[in-house]
């Protein structure tokens, strides 16, 4: 797996912990979301892609869990866009504290906000991502 | 895909809705959890497997999203154990309202609660699931 | 405290449990929300007051906690509108399992959806609530 | 209202936004929790008071909401212990972005972890807080 060029940090909150004393697995999809938002903002793409009314739909989400995270852990969450298709793109994530914690992937379809039907990924978005990820 | 023998119902709550007016994708992992809990309880397996201190770990979770769910929708969530390995088992889920909404899968490893190391799936658990799913 | 004429049931979900093995205190505001939604729906008032775009704002929320609730507990959540002012109304709640668990209160201001400024509580809403609570 | 000597920052996350496009009111109790955790950690009191197994119970929580917070807002959350009784203490909070957003209060009872019965607030805790808040 090649390297990630973007990462952000997240401090584990108490209500994110479950009865076993570790971060509830569903919470990692929120951590992915935070990293995705910060990634897009860092690349100057937040207004269209991430704000309320954003014309994308998530069609797939997955995560693998390697070791538990605990209350007050400081986690590094890496994010990248690993591929862009005609009407969709794929984010990948890695979460680590002192050890690898989780890895994941989400697939996003670009849609017409009026009809929610797939539309081509805008050229400007594609170019900006390519410049960042392959530059 | 063969049929599911267990299902439960979930009414969508307002705080589960995101800014786009649909159920936030991460919430479906909670819906899967509710169905998994109810499935195990229905089979008489709740105390050991689902209560706080439960000796299983989730190592993988994934979901595909077909159409949005909205506030106050009544969703049917189907669950089944689709496979049992030596130290793990796999749950599958389907969520539908008037249309198919989501499908997913979680993989659970049975562990020693003292060491959190994998241990064989207990024979009694395996037999109870087989009786339900294949009976 | 006089009686409540409306109640609904909620089964405690695993991710609602915190590291101490009890329902996280912030989750009770979601339970209040569920009861409030069901109350308004039961009175035929859901479309305007509870759906996305609803013209009310919460200006106050509070809860007192008497005893813990645990995973899989079946809770009865009572709700009522205890008072209606010129531009606001107050909901009260009680949550109990085998013992009293929590009680709370939320205050809602009716607003113009365009300006988010307070507007008088509609006469029809007021009449419907009065008929239910005092009838 | 006198000044707060402690504050922390929170960036609003997308799943914390509700269908109206603003932070869901119940989420502020999580923001209060984050500020409370950071406050206690900053004062060197985290292990006993905030980690899983912490011997305190929340008996009251409340919040007033002044103006909405939105996705990606950077909020300053102030916290202080405003009073310490024989077996309880009270936290107060203020949340602001460009404008005041919310204010709140939580009351915590110190308990014996074995019996969950109230016990006196430890002298060391009381002295540390007094030194910080009144020093």
């Amino acid at each position: 797996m090649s390297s990630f060029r973007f990462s952000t940090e997240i401090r584990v909150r108490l209500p994110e912990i479950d009865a076993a004393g570790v971060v509830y697995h569903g919470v990692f999809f929120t951590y992915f979301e935070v990293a995705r938002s910060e990634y897009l903002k860092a690349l100057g793409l937040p207004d269209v892609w991430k704000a309320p009314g954003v014309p994308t739909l998530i069609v797939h989400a997955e995560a693998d869990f390697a070791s538990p995270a605990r209350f007050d852990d400081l986690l590094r969450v890496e994010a990248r866009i690993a591929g862009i298709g005609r009407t969709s793109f794929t984010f990948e994530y890695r979460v680590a504290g002192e050890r690898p914690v989780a890895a994941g992937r989400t697939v996003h379809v670009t849609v017409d906000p009026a009809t929610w039907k797939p539309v081509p990924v805008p050229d400007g978005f594609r170019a900006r991502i390519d410049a960042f990820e392959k530059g």
Side-chain angles (χ1 to χ4, degrees), chain A:
Chain A
M1 204 179 207
S2 66
S3 63
F4 287 73
R5 298 181 173 199
F6 177 86
S7 70
T8 189
E9 287 185 335
I10 291 179
R11 176 80 60 182
V12 174
R13 301 172 174 181
L14 196 65
E16 295 167 354
I17 299 298
D18 68 12
V22 302
V23 174
Y24 182 68
H25 71 279
V27 170
F28 285 94
F29 295 95
T30 292
Y31 293 172
F32 295 166
E33 175 90 53
V34 170
R36 186 164 65 243
S37 296
E38 294 295 333
Y39 174 103
L40 292 169
K41 187 167 60 177
L43 267 66
L45 300 165
D47 286 344
V48 183
W49 298 92
K50 214 55 232 164
V54 56
T56 62
L57 287 177
I58 288 188
V59 294
H60 181 77
E62 67 175 85
D64 290 285
F65 306 103
S67 62
R70 297 176 190 283
F71 171 57
D72 201 43
D73 280 0
L74 185 62
L75 302 177
R76 176 161 297 278
V77 185
E78 297 174 294
R80 67 176 168 202
I81 293 184
I84 307 181
R86 204 179 69 82
T87 61
S88 68
F89 54 93
T90 299
F91 260 100
E92 291 179 349
Y93 315 91
R94 278 199 306 219
V95 182
E98 296 184 359
R99 293 186 296 176
V101 169
R105 197 164 66 90
T106 52
V107 181
H108 305 255
V109 171
T110 48
V111 294
D112 180 311
T115 64
W116 293 61
K117 297 292 182 190
V119 294
V121 175
D123 289 342
F125 180 86
R126 186 186 303 268
R128 183 71 192 92
I129 301 300
D130 281 352
F132 178 74
E133 293 289 355
K134 302 175 182 171

